[in-house]
Amino acid sequence: MKSKSPDRLSCRKGDREIYDLLKKEELLKGKPLIDIFMMALTTGYKEKHRVKLDTKDGLILLYHVPTKLKSIMKAIAIAEEEADLNVLLDEAKVYSIAEEYAAGGIKILKTKVLGGEFGSYIKKLESELVDEFEKIKK
Amino acid sequence: MIIDYIKLKNYRQYRDQTVNLGAGEKGKNIVIIEGRNGAGKTNILNAITWCLYGQEFHISKSEGLPIVNTSALNDLGVNEKTTVEVEIQLISNDKNKRYKIKRTVWIQKSEKDDAEQISDRYLSNQSDGTKLEVFVQIGKDIKGEFRDPAHIVQRLLPEKINEYFLFDGERLDNYFKEESGGIIKEAVFKISQLDLLDRMIDHLNKTKDEFLRSSEGLTPEIKELEEKKTALLDSLEKMKNELGKQSNAKKEAKEHRNEIDKKLRESPRNIKKLAEEREGLEQDLLKLESELEEERKNRSDYLIEMSPLILTHEAINQSWRIISKQEEAGKIPPPIAKNFLERLLEKGVCICGTDISKKNEYRKNVELFLQSCKDIGNISGEIIELCGYLRGLIDESSDFRKKQIMYGKRVEDLEEREKKNNERLKRIEEEIKGCDVKEIKRLEEKLEEYNNEISNVDQKIGEIKVKIDNMKDERLVQIDRDLNKELKKEEKFQELRRILSFCNSVLDIANKIKTEIMGEIREEIEEKTKKQFFDIIWKKVTYKEVKIDDNYNFLVLDQTGRKALGTLSAGERESLALSFMAALNTVSGFDVPIVIDTPLARIDTEERQDIARSLPEYFKDTQVVILVTGAEYTPAVRKSLSKNVCKEYKIKFEEYKKGSEAKVVSYEK
């Protein structure tokens, strides 16, 4: 059954604090919340760690989310539904998948960003991205 | 001296006349020539002045008759010539010398019957075209043909004093009019014979003026130039002092510089440069850190931005391929949209116009077609749009490696520079380790200061030397040149000053002499006039004093000391005038005869007799020719004068058709 279209992206209650904490971090200082959300989403997606949101806390109004990022979320949803484009008819589902991966990734992200030495996250990220890019090329 | 005779030929009324005026026995010194008004009395006087000086002083200029006798003129034919001649013979008192003076003028009758004076170029010897001849007889010797006969006449009877011995009695009163000081002074001056002195004064004044004019431009500017020179020398001295000061300053600065240089030689070389380099490196490092931070941030921002694209690349790529395939298969967009068929069924009219509102075969076909349509078709536009974005993401991620390397390179470059700077800093620190860099830096700065000071002082010294050279070579030389020129002028100027001073001294003396002589003459004339006047007048008690004041005005004071000139009777005034004339005559020193025209014309009958009685007293031992009218020469007057008269003449005047003629005949005739 088609759900009602949401007007915002949400996180689990309690994860909001992680978002606020990461936002204060030197690396992410001044970045919009959607960037941190996208980092959490891709981390969760990469780690295949999808967590249902038992409780919801509104995080970002979709109105402020760039189409480019919405496109990534839609691509993830299509992939997640085994290449069924019909998922696109259900916006709530599309953003719900994104929220669940973000919920699964936020804690991992927190550990990666705050856990290592200063600058190590970026180095690791760079290395990961280069590896991933090399894979794509192949 | 007496006039022996006057010979007149064709002169005015006189056709051919000789009048003997020679003196008789002693005491008889008066000659009377009586004639009516217009008979020719005054022309006797004029004949004398014309003969002596070439001028008729007692003739009215408006008188139109020619000098030539009208009768003689009328006898001439047109263009015929004749002569007018006046000859006077003078005899000195000792009768030893005779002077014959003769003036001739040539007259030609014009076509209009007028007399025209012509000059005979062979005979005329005067500028007025007349001929003047002087013969001097001493004993039996007669001398003539003098080169300058006029000069001899002037020496005998000076023209300038002629009015004091050949005078019009009627004009005597002029001496006593108001403001007559000028006339009296002139008379005194002329009698004083100060011409020479006056000419000398005049000449000296002219000479002085000429010298003054020539001194223009000679006024020396020596003082000014000397002041300029002194000022210039002062300036030079100051410049030299300044040069000395600057040289000392340079010397001191050099000493300080050498001292510092010595100290610096003991320290590592270029320490200042090293310290400066260190400072520069430190500043560079700060800048590098900032740049590095920025570049690192750019790199991390890029990586964070790209991470969703790269890490979800598989999903993006898969979704893009699915959509693209459906697009290629023509499923997206679908040929007929599901919601379009729904709207047709809802309306009950097919696109072709067939009624499908009721359950019929046509509606069934549409419903079957609707069932084959998928919901996805309704968002095909969005899907196509999504496809486009996904393609963009794929393209964007394809540049990732290139950009990631670029950002990395930038960071690496900056890190490399930072590393090198740190290494250089370390080496510098090792080099200047143990040195008092601050002190050395201070010394090096001081050294530079002294070097700058020496350079500045050198520049100043150069400027001062140039100024000194300019002052010496140009200004001082110029001033010296000007000064020499002015000194030469000064010599001339001093010479002129001496000459002018001499002129002034001589002028002072000459003027003083002139004043003194005139004063003495005036006093003498005053004394003689007074004596004569009081000897003669009968009111000896009424008048007390006769004076000629400093302004040469006549003063007659009465017994109370009041001025009484205005109250003198005509006779008294005539007496005073005659006394003055006699005094002038005496004081002049010239032995000249007196000719007086109408002396008694303005005198009352009673006084006339008194004057006549005393007349001989005025000019004792002097020949006096008196020209009188019959009205003047009354029997009483004649009687009064009789014992002093040596000759008496009457002028007989006759008029003819051809003209008029006067003849001087003895009184008895």
Side-chain angles (χ1 to χ4, degrees):
Chain A
M1 204 181 112
K2 194 178 168 185
S3 316
K4 193 187 168 189
S5 292
D7 66 340
R8 65 194 66 193
L9 290 168
S10 301
C11 64
R12 284 188 301 177
K13 275 191 179 169
D15 284 352
R16 176 77 197 211
E17 285 170 14
I18 302 171
Y19 278 100
D20 289 341
L21 190 68
L22 287 170
K23 222 184 155 202
K24 285 175 191 165
E25 188 55 29
E26 187 62 36
L27 182 70
L28 305 170
K29 201 179 269 179
K31 290 209 174 292
L33 212 53
I34 185 66
D35 282 3
I36 300 167
F37 178 86
M38 287 305 289
M39 283 171 81
L41 164 60
T42 49
T43 305
Y45 180 70
K46 196 70 194 156
E47 296 292 329
K48 303 287 178 200
H49 189 54
R50 188 170 162 184
V51 177
K52 273 203 180 284
L53 271 68
D54 42 6
T55 54
K56 275 194 175 184
D57 197 359
L59 197 65
I60 306 147
L61 283 172
L62 280 167
Y63 176 77
H64 294 301
V65 179
T67 313
K68 177 182 159 184
L69 300 183
K70 280 179 183 168
S71 302
I72 293 170
M73 286 182 226
K74 283 172 184 174
I76 289 171
I78 293 166
E80 203 62 17
E81 293 298 312
E82 294 174 348
D84 184 3
L85 293 177
N86 285 314
V87 74
L88 297 174
L89 291 167
D90 190 355
E91 273 198 334
K93 193 168 186 182
V94 170
Y95 294 122
S96 174
I97 293 166
E99 284 169 349
E100 285 171 14
Y101 274 123
I106 189 74
K107 282 185 181 165
I108 303 167
L109 181 68
K110 180 192 165 191
T111 312
K112 280 184 177 177
V113 172
L114 302 173
E117 287 175 24
F118 180 77
S120 63
Y121 168 70
I122 281 296
K123 276 181 189 170
K124 281 175 190 165
L125 177 67
E126 187 176 21
S127 173
E128 192 183 351
L129 291 176
V130 170
D131 288 348
E132 195 65 32
F133 185 75
E134 292 305 323
K135 269 189 225 171
I136 295 164
K137 273 181 84 181
K138 283 174 187 173
Chain B
M1 186 177 289
I2 60 161
I3 301 170
D4 186 33
Y5 64 80
I6 304 171
K7 209 183 256 185
L8 307 144
K9 185 192 166 193
N10 295 332
Y11 179 82
R12 297 201 177 274
Q13 290 98 326
Y14 304 98
R15 184 79 191 257
D16 188 8
Q17 180 73 57
T18 300
V19 186
N20 287 310
L21 304 171
E25 53 197 85
K26 197 176 178 185
K28 290 193 178 267
N29 58 330
I30 292 174
V31 177
I32 299 290
I33 300 174
E34 183 204 310
R36 292 185 301 173
N37 284 331
K41 296 190 300 297
T42 305
N43 278 337
I44 298 283
L45 194 58
N46 278 323
I48 296 169
T49 63
W50 185 75
C51 176
L52 296 175
Y53 316 117
Q55 293 194 65
E56 297 168 293
F57 295 121
H58 305 277
I59 198 161
S60 169
K61 282 178 183 171
S62 60
E63 204 168 310
L65 288 172
I67 195 168
V68 66
N69 178 264
T70 49
S71 176
L73 181 67
N74 289 333
D75 283 346
L76 294 174
V78 172
N79 294 332
E80 279 186 344
K81 297 172 194 169
T82 186
T83 55
V84 176
E85 296 169 19
V86 176
E87 182 183 310
I88 298 168
Q89 179 158 281
L90 301 166
I91 302 172
S92 64
N93 280 351
D94 60 4
K95 297 186 180 172
N96 192 33
K97 277 187 188 172
R98 285 169 187 265
Y99 300 91
K100 190 163 82 178
I101 300 161
K102 184 182 176 185
R103 188 176 292 268
T104 308
V105 68
W106 287 265
I107 301 293
Q108 184 174 359
K109 189 173 183 178
S110 73
E111 288 177 357
K112 291 179 181 177
D113 290 343
D114 289 334
E116 281 181 356
Q117 184 183 329
I118 54 169
S119 58
D120 189 313
R121 61 178 175 168
Y122 299 110
L123 298 172
S124 300
N125 60 0
Q126 299 299 301
S127 57
D128 60 359
T130 62
K131 181 183 181 184
L132 178 66
E133 294 167 282
V134 174
F135 301 92
V136 182
Q137 184 181 356
I138 303 169
K140 286 180 180 175
D141 294 333
I142 298 173
K143 202 178 171 189
E145 294 185 7
F146 294 98
R147 281 180 64 188
D148 189 3
H151 179 66
I152 296 170
V153 173
Q154 289 295 338
R155 281 178 59 195
L156 278 174
L157 303 160
E159 184 186 339
K160 67 178 183 347
I161 59 164
N162 85 87
E163 60 192 288
Y164 309 119
F165 60 87
L166 305 169
F167 57 90
D168 185 350
E170 290 187 49
R171 291 188 187 173
L172 286 175
D173 205 35
N174 289 344
Y175 291 110
F176 310 116
K177 284 179 181 169
E178 283 183 17
E179 306 297 331
S180 60
I183 304 169
I184 309 280
K185 188 175 181 180
E186 191 188 342
V188 171
F189 174 74
K190 285 178 178 175
I191 290 301
S192 305
Q193 297 185 74
L194 293 170
D195 312 37
L196 188 64
L197 197 60
D198 219 36
R199 278 206 298 278
M200 184 182 83
I201 289 168
D202 194 39
H203 177 70
L204 275 170
N205 275 322
K206 280 178 186 166
T207 309
K208 189 179 148 187
D209 286 347
E210 276 169 24
F211 279 124
L212 277 171
R213 270 197 296 277
S214 66
S215 74
E216 279 173 16
L218 278 182
T219 312
E221 292 170 354
I222 291 167
K223 200 181 169 191
E224 199 181 319
L225 283 168
E226 277 176 345
E227 279 170 3
K228 268 189 191 173
K229 189 177 175 179
T230 309
L232 191 63
L233 288 172
D234 283 350
S235 297
L236 260 175
E237 197 55 39
K238 279 178 190 166
M239 291 275 184
K240 282 178 184 170
N241 288 339
E242 185 58 29
L243 191 65
K245 276 183 194 171
Q246 293 296 338
S247 298
N248 286 338
K250 187 182 169 182
K251 199 179 161 190
E252 271 181 39
K254 269 187 171 178
E255 281 170 7
H256 288 303
R257 187 186 65 179
N258 292 342
E259 256 175 57
I260 290 168
D261 202 39
K262 197 181 166 190
K263 278 182 192 172
L264 283 173
R265 259 178 227 168
E266 291 160 5
S267 313
R269 298 300 292 173
N270 302 323
I271 199 111
K272 192 189 163 204
K273 276 187 183 173
L274 288 171
E276 280 172 358
E277 192 185 347
R278 186 176 64 177
E279 264 180 35
L281 285 168
E282 281 168 354
Q283 280 173 6
D284 272 357
L285 273 172
L286 283 172
K287 207 174 157 189
L288 271 174
E289 271 173 24
S290 161
E291 282 176 27
L292 196 55
E293 195 182 334
E294 200 179 322
E295 279 306 320
R296 279 176 179 150
K297 179 99 175 41
N298 290 340
R299 186 179 65 169
S300 63
D301 283 351
Y302 180 67
L303 292 173
I304 288 167
E305 188 191 333
M306 290 303 288
S307 64
L309 271 77
I310 303 294
L311 294 176
T312 61
H313 189 271
E314 204 180 323
I316 291 168
N317 215 16
Q318 188 189 10
S319 299
W320 173 72
R321 274 200 310 270
I322 291 165
I323 297 166
S324 296
K325 263 185 188 175
Q326 293 217 10
E327 267 190 295
E328 280 169 22
K331 290 179 182 175
I332 295 174
I336 299 169
K338 194 178 178 181
N339 49 10
F340 176 68
L341 293 172
E342 283 171 351
R343 277 200 299 275
L344 290 178
L345 288 169
E346 201 178 296
K347 282 184 181 177
V349 180
C350 182
I351 194 167
C352 61
T354 309
D355 182 13
I356 53 170
S357 59
K358 291 170 186 168
K359 282 192 176 180
N360 55 24
E361 191 183 352
Y362 300 114
R363 186 176 174 89
K364 199 175 176 182
N365 287 338
V366 174
E367 282 172 347
L368 279 171
F369 197 58
L370 178 65
Q371 280 171 11
S372 71
C373 286
K374 291 180 178 175
D375 289 341
I376 198 85
N378 289 337
I379 56 163
S380 60
E382 287 169 39
I383 292 169
I384 291 165
E385 193 184 25
L386 176 65
C387 185
Y389 276 113
L390 293 174
R391 181 69 246 176
L393 290 171
I394 292 164
D395 290 344
E396 195 180 340
S397 53
S398 67
D399 282 343
F400 168 73
R401 189 69 175 130
K402 206 161 80 182
K403 285 193 176 174
Q404 174 262 330
I405 290 169
M406 182 195 79
Y407 280 115
K409 183 89 173 65
R410 281 185 191 168
V411 172
E412 275 172 21
D413 286 350
L414 288 168
E415 282 173 344
E416 185 61 25
R417 276 174 64 192
E418 188 182 35
K419 191 183 160 192
K420 279 183 181 172
N421 278 7
N422 279 324
E423 282 169 1
R424 177 66 189 147
L425 259 178
K426 203 175 170 187
R427 279 199 302 275
I428 290 169
E429 288 296 343
E430 277 169 9
E431 239 180 291
I432 62 177
K433 202 175 173 183
C435 294
D436 188 349
V437 178
K438 211 173 169 184
E439 175 61 12
I440 290 168
K441 204 176 161 191
R442 191 189 69 78
L443 287 172
E444 283 186 340
E445 280 169 3
K446 208 75 190 161
L447 184 75
E448 203 176 325
E449 269 177 35
Y450 283 122
N451 278 333
N452 287 338
E453 195 180 323
I454 290 165
S455 170
N456 288 338
V457 169
D458 271 339
Q459 202 176 333
K460 277 184 189 169
I461 287 171
E463 284 170 9
I464 293 168
K465 279 181 178 172
V466 169
K467 278 183 186 171
I468 289 173
D469 287 348
N470 283 345
M471 279 181 173
K472 277 182 183 169
D473 295 346
E474 290 173 19
R475 293 174 62 191
L476 198 60
V477 168
Q478 184 59 45
I479 288 176
D480 278 338
R481 207 179 291 144
D482 292 346
L483 203 54
N484 282 336
K485 216 187 275 178
E486 288 303 317
L487 281 167
K488 278 178 190 167
K489 279 188 189 173
E490 167 76 357
E491 284 168 20
K492 276 187 185 174
F493 185 70
Q494 291 302 342
E495 182 62 26
L496 273 171
R497 278 179 63 179
R498 279 194 290 276
I499 292 168
L500 287 171
S501 170
F502 174 74
C503 284
N504 285 333
S505 303
V506 174
L507 274 169
D508 282 349
I509 293 165
N511 280 319
K512 207 171 169 185
I513 291 170
K514 183 180 163 184
T515 310
E516 276 178 18
I517 291 174
M518 279 183 72
E520 281 173 18
I521 301 281
R522 186 191 69 190
E523 280 172 20
E524 202 177 337
I525 291 169
E526 180 189 90
E527 187 58 37
K528 289 195 185 310
T529 305
K530 181 181 163 185
K531 188 174 181 302
Q532 195 112 357
F533 182 67
F534 281 108
D535 279 353
I536 291 163
I537 60 162
W538 50 98
K539 290 184 192 171
K540 290 183 173 56
V541 184
T542 311
Y543 305 108
K544 181 187 163 189
E545 190 69 88
V546 170
K547 284 176 85 79
I548 301 171
D549 68 12
D550 291 343
N551 296 322
Y552 292 84
N553 286 314
F554 253 112
L555 292 174
V556 176
L557 305 175
D558 66 10
Q559 285 300 330
T560 60
R562 280 193 295 260
K563 290 178 183 176
L565 188 63
T567 61
L568 292 178
S569 68
E572 285 167 338
R573 288 162 79 91
E574 186 82 358
S575 290
L576 185 61
L578 287 169
S579 299
F580 177 60
M581 295 304 283
L584 288 175
N585 202 268
T586 311
V587 172
S588 75
F590 284 96
D591 176 20
V592 289
I594 305 289
V595 181
I596 315 173
D597 189 18
T598 58
L600 307 170
R602 294 187 179 187
I603 316 288
D604 291 343
T605 314
E606 284 180 15
E607 284 188 316
R608 195 177 287 154
Q609 205 171 328
D610 293 332
I611 295 286
R613 199 180 302 123
S614 56
L615 198 59
E617 299 294 317
Y618 294 106
F619 305 103
K620 284 176 187 170
D621 304 324
T622 301
Q623 182 191 37
V624 182
V625 179
I626 303 172
L627 303 164
V628 288
T629 59
E632 288 175 275
Y633 199 55
T634 59
V637 169
R638 192 179 180 209
K639 192 180 173 186
S640 299
L641 288 170
S642 60
K643 61 178 180 181
N644 299 97
V645 172
C646 67
K647 288 193 170 62
E648 274 185 311
Y649 294 107
K650 269 191 179 176
I651 298 172
K652 281 182 81 177
F653 186 74
E654 290 176 10
E655 284 181 303
Y656 309 104
K657 278 184 182 175
K658 285 184 179 177
S660 59
E661 189 180 339
K663 284 187 177 168
V664 181
V665 297
S666 292
Y667 203 78
E668 291 76 17
K669 289 180 183 175

